[in-house]
Each structure stands twice: as C-alpha cells, then as structure tokens.
Amino acid sequence: MTPESQPTITDNIELLALLDALRSVILYFDRWGTVIHGNRRACQWRPLEQLVGRTFVELAQHWYQPEQTQREMMQVVRTGIPSWGVKERSGKGADCRWFSVDKIPTLNKLGEVTGVMLVINDISESVVKERALEESDARYKAFIANSADAIWCYEVYPPVDTTLAPQLQVEQILKRAILVECNETLARFFGVTHTRDVIGLPLSRSGSLSSYQDVRAFIDNGYRLENKEFSRVDRTGMCGYMQSSAIGVVENGLLMRAWGITRDITDQRTHTDRMEYLANHDSLTLLPNRTLLYSTMEQTIANANNAQLMALMIIDLDRFKEINDTLGHRAGDSVLQQVGPRLEGEMVELEGLVARLGGDEFAVFLPRVRNAHQALVLGHRFIDSLGEPFEIETFRTEVTASIGISMFPDQGRDVSTLMRYADVAMYHAKRALKGVAVYDPEFDPHSPTRLEIMGALRRAIRESQLELHFQPKIDLLTHRVTGFEGLLRWHHPEIGTVPPVDFIPIVEKSNLIYPLTCWVMAESIRQCAIWRREGHDITVAMNLSASNVTDERLLAELRQLLTQYDLPGHCLEMELTESTIMNDPERALTALKKIAALGVHLSIDDFGTGYSSLAYLKRLPVGTLKIDKSFVMDMLIDEQDEIIVNSTINLAHNLGLSVVAEGVESQEIYQRLQDHKCDSAQGFLIARPMPAADATRWLLNSQWSGGLP
C-alpha cells in the first residue's frame, strides 16, 4: 500500500464526529495546501462544497495577509513542526475579528506528513479586553510618569493587622512601610533625578505621612488622609508647602499598602497668604486695617480673663486736609506712612496693634494695660511723637492729633461698643482741644444713660417732678436780701432727688435744653411776680447755657412770659458762664443785646474759672460778675485766692460792674469781703437753697430781711 492509498482523517468517522463537536473552526488541508475537509463549524462559514479544493488564500480573502497564513501552513507540511496560537485577524474597523490559529501537521502510519489541520478560534473579545487593559496600563503609567503631582505607593510588609490598637498599628506602619513605586516628581521632591534613587526608602523619610500624628490621623480616618498640609525645607534651604492625600489598601483585615499623591502648593499658599495679607492690611501704610483690628479684638476679648483690662485708642490727625491741599496728596501719603512707625516706636514696652482705619484715622489696641491712666500716658506720648516735624522731600511739616480712649471691660465688652466710645472720646478731645480723652458718658449724646435721662426728664417736665429752689443774695452794704438765684431740682418718683450735676451737662448737649430753660424761666418769672406782689423788692436770677444764648426762640418766649406775669424786665437776672459767651462771641453779643433791651439784668457766673477777653467783656451788656466759690471759700487760708478775689472786685468796679461772691460760709469770709468792697454775697452762711414756700417764710422771718447782720 502506498502512502497515498493509506487511510486519511476523512476516513475516520469517529474522528470526524469529534471534530464536528468542537467549537473551533477546523479545516483539513492536503499537503498541496487545498482543503479536503471542514468540520461543522467551518461549514457555517462556507458550505463544504465551496471549501473543498480551495486554498486558504481563496477562502479568506478578507483575512489580513492570507498569503502569510498559506505560507506558514506549507512550512508546517514541509517541516512537520506545528505552529500554535498564532494571532491573526480578519476584516477592518468595526468588522475586525481576531483569531488564534493552530497549524497542526497530520501524519500517516509511517510518520509522513500528509497534510495540515488548521484550528481557528475566535478570540476577538479577549483581544479587545487585553488591548483595553494594555491601553489602560499605558495611560496609567503615562499619567503617573507625567503628573505634576508626586504619586507613590508604600508597601507594608509584613501587612499590619487593622484590629490591633491604633498606637501599635502606628508603630508597625512606621517600621514596615517601604516605598515601592513612585514617579519622577517624587524623586525631584527628594532632590534626585531617578526614581531608583528613592525606591526602597522607609516611610519616615517621605515627608508625608511620616510623623506619628499623621499616621494616627490616617488610621483614625479609616485608612485615608485628605489634603494634609505640611512644610518642608529643600536642600537649598528654601521653605515650601506640600499637601498629601492617601488611601490604604486593606485585604482580609490587613493593611497591605498605601497609595498617595503629594503636590507642591508653595505658589498657591504664597498667593493665598498674599491675598489674605492684602485683605487684612492697608495698601499705603502696610499697617493692619479695620478688618484685622476687629478680628484681633474679637479673639482677644473672647479669650480674656475676668481681671484683664484692655484699651482702644482712635487717633485722628488734626488739619491733615491742609497738608493735602497745600503740599499735594503725595506729601499727605508720606505723612501717613510715617505715622505707623512713630506710634509703634512708643510701644516698645507694651504689647499692642497699630492699625489704619482709613483716611487720616488710626487705631491702637492694647490687650493688656494696668489701668486707664497708663493708656492716657501713652496717648500723650503719641501726641508728642506725632508733634515732631515730618520730613517730606524738601519740606518739613508738623501735625497734631486728637486721641479718644475706651476701656474694656468697664466701658464696653464688645468691639462695636469700644469703637463707638473711643470715637466719642476722640471727638470730645478734638472739640475741647484736650489732645487725649478717656470716654465719659457726659461726652456722648447717644449713650444709653443719656437716652434714659432724656426720656425721664421729658416725663419730669410733663408730670411736675421739677422744682426750683431759691438761694438768697445779700447786699454787703445794707446786709439785706436783694434777690434769689433759682436752682433746678429734680425729684424722681423712684430714685429720689437727682443732683443737677447728673443731668444738666447731659441736657445742655441735647435738644431738651430749650423746653427745660423755658420751664425754669417761666417758674422764675412767676415766683418773682408773686413775691413782688406781696411787697418784696427782690429779683430772681436763672442760668443760661450756650445753646440758650444763641437760640432765637428764647427772646420771643422771654418777652411773652414777662408780659404774661406783668413783671418788669429788670426784676429778672440771667447768669452766663465765660465759656458760654466765648463759644461764639459775636452771636452771643447780638443775642445778649436783645435780651438786655428788655431790661433783663445780665451777669457773668463762675468768673475766673474760664477764659475770656477783658476787652470783649467791656462790649457785653453785663452788669455783674460772680466770683466762683472755689476762690472765695479758701481766701482766708490761701493768699493767692484772696489776691484773685480782691483783683476781680477791683477789675469789675473799674469796668462799672457789681460783684457777687459765691460760697460764703463763715462770718469771717463775709467780713473780709466787706473789707474788699465786694457788693453782694451768697452762700450757706446766709441760707441754703430752699423751695419757694420756705423761701417765702424766710423772707418774713430772716434777720437778713430786716437788714441786721
């Protein structure tokens, strides 16, 4: 039997049945490379009659390089060496399919190659998955390699049991974690070029997740770390800021490894710090601004203990506008830039914050002072320092300042109150030319105390809680009473008698002064008219404030009351202080002349305690000077006081004025005033202020009514 006549695979019915049962496409080629059989799977590709007698090139024209497959088949026939798992494809684009092709030689009984069996398996799905995985791995590696962030992985070997106590876990992680993967960015953070130079480093050298606190936070947060910031100093000594995030890989209760990202946030942090600085500092002077001042005060107040005293100063440069208008805004800016260093230079012994509030207004916050006096002393040092000449290019200029001070906790317990009170004190210092002033409710037209007093006083006028007390004045020549001074008293139904010193200064700074003055004027005129109708030849005096003098409504009210009670003008006396007149001399002169034209007698009260021009006093329609009691009461024991009293009497007489001495409390003073030719006396020696009814009885029964000393 010749080899050609020997049985072939097509003669084996059992083998053919087996091949038909396989899911692979199987084609049996003879030794000349033409198909002599195909299994059932192959017949699904093409009918058997279209397969038999064809070469692979003829059958698989859609195949990528079918000639190559045909050649490889013939190579197997020639050599008898099989080819396994060759990856081949057919089609293009979306129709592309991948196959694993085995080329197996078939042998006869003599071991001679009689043909080749082509076993084709569709592996398209696995190829797609494999390629996707390869692409993903490539992208992953490219991402890690090219990332601007440092990406790293620490292997924990042996793994750490996550059921252990956190402290023990921290210790084991720090000992066992080794860097096993990273990109070149991390290498650069370490100051080296290649990743191989840092692979194998222990966790303690990483700079992130390297401290006990970091690892403990990583564990406590469920083996995660999010945006942990830390600083680092590079090899050049430059300080930078880093931020790390990490996640642990836990398998079967064991921490296997930790992946993480570390990024350099130095530029971002620098920008953020710069923006924060600009938000909290004045761009011209570089001093803290109002925002930073407020936040510092709020934080300090929140953490203050019960005994801690603080002071807030508001500093306003006086007439600063003149510098801008005269020398220009560049000169003004130069002055403002020099203010901060001068103020800070005076605070070497005190902790404090100097801030610019805006314009020419500054603030100083002192979180710890011994008392208000210490702050007041520092305020005067500020005034002296700012009074030194400012050098501006080729010019030298000087500025003055007004400073207001408020105290924590005595005057305010929050930032808003302290700021307002310091502002009130500053404006008072400016108006009064004091330089420095500590807040006092009397300065504040809007304080709660003032508002409460204003409301209560309005009710007092309506509900007859006010009363005039009358203190007599005696003629030192005849020793007889010539008149009374009406003094206001307030009998509050709940708190009793309110002293004038507690409400008069407040009322004088409010719009309540006019109705109150009208009430006093009406009562004074009414009572004087009563006494004169009873046969007493006396006058009644009342006090006028600065706002009364220039209030045009007062003249009409005065004229109407004199007419209503049929009282001659000369029976009423109005007393004014020197400061009242000198606040606005020209308007005061005009108003007083109109009052004097009604016959009303005018006098200067508390003479010697204020400041006034004697030349100006000559122009006023004033008939009397009243010497303040502070000079009279001690004139027997203080030679200077007696000289002042005697000089005032002589001065007044030379000006054609009469003199009343207040505060006469002893017979010796009474006698000494007589010796100095004083005209009248008023004081406790004669009588204390008393209600109208008591004053009437005093007029009937007093020794002074009959002229006996």
Side-chain angles (χ1 to χ4, degrees):
M1 183 180 292
T2 63
E4 288 80 356
S5 63
Q6 292 181 356
T8 65
I9 191 171
T10 58
D11 299 325
N12 192 327
I13 296 175
E14 293 180 353
L15 178 58
L16 292 177
L18 177 63
L19 294 178
D20 285 342
L22 296 177
R23 299 180 63 183
S24 304
V25 172
I26 298 176
L27 293 172
Y28 180 35
F29 292 83
D30 60 19
R31 59 186 302 177
W32 291 278
T34 60
V35 176
I36 58 176
H37 184 73
N39 70 348
R40 186 177 299 168
R41 187 81 173 180
C43 292
Q44 292 177 357
W45 183 13
R46 286 192 181 188
L48 186 59
E49 60 270 18
Q50 295 182 15
L51 294 174
V52 175
R54 303 285 184 92
T55 65
F56 186 80
V57 173
E58 294 173 321
L59 294 175
Q61 294 179 1
H62 58 290
W63 206 265
Y64 180 71
Q65 295 181 338
E67 299 85 357
Q68 179 64 26
T69 303
Q70 186 76 35
R71 284 193 294 269
E72 290 176 358
M73 288 169 48
M74 301 311 296
Q75 179 71 13
V76 171
V77 171
R78 286 192 298 273
T79 63
I81 301 173
S83 172
W84 303 98
V86 177
K87 191 181 295 183
E88 300 183 26
R89 65 184 173 89
S90 69
K92 296 181 179 179
D95 297 328
C96 180
R97 306 292 295 177
W98 287 91
F99 303 95
S100 175
V101 181
D102 295 333
K103 304 173 184 70
I104 306 169
T106 57
L107 306 174
N108 60 19
K109 291 181 179 180
L110 298 177
E112 298 170 336
V113 177
T114 59
V116 61
M117 184 182 295
L118 201 65
V119 181
I120 303 174
N121 288 293
D122 191 332
I123 60 170
S124 297
E125 185 176 346
S126 63
V127 168
V128 170
K129 290 181 179 179
E130 180 182 348
R131 293 213 164 178
L133 185 61
E134 289 175 353
E135 290 175 2
S136 175
D137 186 60
R139 287 195 299 269
Y140 155 75
K141 290 181 178 179
F143 169 75
I144 291 179
N146 297 310
S147 174
D149 298 332
I151 300 176
W152 43 263
C153 178
Y154 280 87
E155 192 80 26
V156 183
Y157 187 80
V160 172
D161 187 347
T162 58
T163 63
L164 296 175
Q167 181 177 354
L168 186 57
Q169 290 188 57
V170 172
E171 294 173 357
Q172 292 185 0
I173 291 172
L174 288 173
K175 289 179 181 178
R176 301 177 184 179
I178 299 296
L179 183 66
V180 295
E181 188 171 349
C182 71
N183 60 0
E184 292 184 357
T185 304
L186 184 70
R188 288 196 296 272
F189 285 172
F190 279 94
V192 297
T193 305
H194 302 290
T195 59
R196 63 174 177 268
D197 296 323
V198 293
I199 296 296
L201 288 178
L203 180 61
S204 59
R205 293 278 305 280
S206 73
S208 58
L209 262 180
S210 59
S211 71
Y212 179 94
Q213 292 79 8
D214 291 340
V215 178
R216 180 59 187 265
F218 170 74
I219 294 170
D220 292 343
N221 198 37
Y223 302 95
R224 299 177 68 92
L225 196 70
E226 297 179 0
N227 299 330
K228 170 67 177 179
E229 291 189 13
F230 60 96
S231 61
R232 63 183 290 270
V233 178
D234 62 20
R235 292 185 174 183
T236 66
M238 295 293 292
C239 180
Y241 296 94
M242 316 296 286
Q243 185 184 77
S244 286
S245 297
I247 184 169
V249 179
V250 178
E251 299 176 358
N252 300 320
L254 299 174
L255 177 65
M256 309 298 292
R257 65 192 64 85
W259 282 94
I261 296 176
T262 299
R263 59 174 51 97
D264 188 337
I265 60 169
T266 302
D267 291 343
Q268 175 187 339
R269 180 72 177 269
T270 301
H271 176 72
T272 301
D273 290 347
R274 176 62 178 168
M275 294 302 294
E276 183 177 351
Y277 179 87
L278 292 176
N280 289 287
H281 289 78
D282 174 59
S283 59
L284 175 65
T285 64
L286 303 183
L287 292 172
N289 61 12
R290 187 184 296 267
T291 301
L292 183 55
L293 172 68
Y294 283 8
S295 61
T296 301
M297 290 178 64
E298 287 171 351
Q299 184 176 1
T300 306
I301 290 172
N303 298 325
N305 57 52
N306 294 332
Q308 188 169 347
L309 297 180
M310 308 179 200
L312 173 66
M313 298 182 179
I314 290 184
I315 304 169
D316 185 79
L317 304 183
D318 298 329
R319 297 187 300 278
F320 177 74
K321 185 175 182 296
E322 295 178 9
I323 296 177
N324 280 335
D325 293 344
T326 305
L327 302 179
H329 286 278
R330 286 185 59 185
D333 289 348
S334 177
V335 170
L336 294 175
Q337 290 170 332
Q338 296 178 56
V339 168
R342 291 201 184 187
L343 298 177
E344 290 170 342
E346 298 297 325
M347 296 170 56
V348 291
E349 300 174 359
L350 272 177
E351 175 190 358
L353 176 73
V354 177
R356 184 188 179 200
L357 301 180
D360 59 355
E361 196 169 59
F362 295 78
V364 175
F365 174 57
L366 305 173
R368 295 185 181 277
V369 293
R370 293 189 299 273
N371 46 46
H373 180 70
Q374 185 182 24
L376 193 64
V377 170
L378 181 61
H380 284 290
R381 286 168 53 185
F382 286 158
I383 294 290
D384 293 341
S385 176
L386 296 174
E388 294 293 323
F390 285 84
E391 301 289 341
I392 307 172
E393 297 177 351
T394 59
F395 296 96
R396 300 182 73 195
T397 187
E398 297 180 1
V399 299
T400 58
S402 299
I403 302 177
I405 303 173
S406 61
M407 301 295 299
F408 171 93
D410 298 341
Q411 296 170 344
R413 292 180 173 270
D414 60 83
V415 174
S416 178
T417 302
L418 290 171
M419 286 294 295
R420 193 175 75 81
Y421 285 1
D423 202 50
V424 168
M426 183 272 291
Y427 278 108
H428 172 75
K430 188 182 291 287
R431 286 193 302 267
L433 303 178
K434 287 185 175 181
V436 186
V438 179
Y439 174 77
D440 189 306
E442 290 189 3
F443 308 157
D444 191 353
H446 304 295
S447 70
T449 301
R450 286 176 176 270
L451 295 176
E452 183 179 353
I453 288 177
M454 292 300 97
L457 198 52
R458 286 187 176 92
R459 291 193 301 272
I461 296 174
R462 293 194 307 267
E463 299 172 6
S464 302
Q465 296 175 14
L466 301 178
E467 181 182 25
L468 282 186
H469 283 204
F470 297 90
Q471 187 174 30
K473 291 186 287 185
I474 301 299
D475 186 304
L476 287 174
L477 183 61
T478 64
H479 311 296
R480 295 191 62 174
V481 60
T482 58
F484 288 92
E485 180 181 1
L487 301 168
L488 186 61
R489 297 293 183 264
W490 179 7
H491 301 292
H492 195 283
E494 296 175 2
I495 62 177
T497 301
V498 181
V501 69
D502 288 350
F503 67 91
I504 293 298
I506 297 176
V507 173
E508 287 181 335
K509 295 179 177 64
S510 74
N511 58 9
L512 196 58
I513 187 62
Y514 176 72
L516 185 62
T517 300
C518 288
W519 184 90
V520 171
M521 190 163 58
E523 286 299 300
S524 299
I525 293 174
R526 185 184 66 83
Q527 188 59 51
C528 185
I530 291 174
W531 282 328
R532 293 188 70 85
R533 285 198 300 269
E534 293 174 351
H536 303 290
D537 185 15
I538 59 174
T539 62
V540 171
M542 60 169 289
N543 292 286
L544 285 181
S545 71
S547 58
N548 291 148
V549 172
T550 55
D551 192 329
E552 297 178 355
R553 297 173 296 172
L554 188 72
L555 184 65
E557 184 70 15
L558 173 59
R559 184 182 293 111
Q560 188 271 328
L561 288 171
L562 291 174
T563 302
Q564 177 182 343
Y565 290 103
D566 193 23
L567 184 71
H570 70 270
C571 298
L572 180 67
E573 184 176 353
M574 289 186 167
E575 299 181 358
L576 310 93
T577 62
E578 293 175 85
S579 58
T580 295
I581 300 170
M582 298 309 296
N583 277 343
D584 192 344
E586 294 306 318
R587 287 188 65 191
L589 176 60
T590 301
L592 292 178
K593 284 182 177 180
K594 292 179 181 179
I595 293 174
L598 297 177
V600 175
H601 190 79
L602 299 173
S603 63
I604 303 297
D605 195 15
D606 300 334
F607 186 78
T609 61
Y611 170 80
S612 60
S613 165
L614 295 178
Y616 181 76
L617 285 178
K618 284 177 58 178
R619 299 169 55 198
L620 293 173
V622 172
T624 303
L625 294 183
K626 295 187 72 175
I627 304 176
D628 187 69
K629 63 182 180 181
S630 62
F631 301 113
V632 175
M633 294 176 67
D634 293 332
M635 61 181 292
L636 298 182
I637 57 176
D638 189 321
E639 183 179 356
Q640 291 299 320
D641 282 352
E642 185 168 10
I643 292 174
I644 291 172
V645 170
N646 188 39
S647 299
T648 301
I649 294 171
N650 291 330
L651 171 65
H653 288 167
N654 289 333
L655 293 174
L657 307 176
S658 62
V659 180
V660 178
E662 297 180 297
V664 179
E665 297 186 0
S666 68
Q667 187 64 42
E668 290 77 14
I669 292 178
Y670 186 94
Q671 184 61 50
R672 187 64 60 89
L673 290 170
Q674 279 187 297
D675 296 342
H676 289 306
K677 309 299 183 185
C678 185
D679 300 295
S680 301
Q682 182 180 346
F684 290 173
L685 172 67
I686 302 160
R688 293 177 178 272
M690 49 194 150
D694 293 343
T696 299
R697 285 190 290 271
W698 185 89
L699 279 172
L700 296 174
N701 302 315
S702 171
Q703 61 177 346
W704 304 98
S705 298
L708 298 175

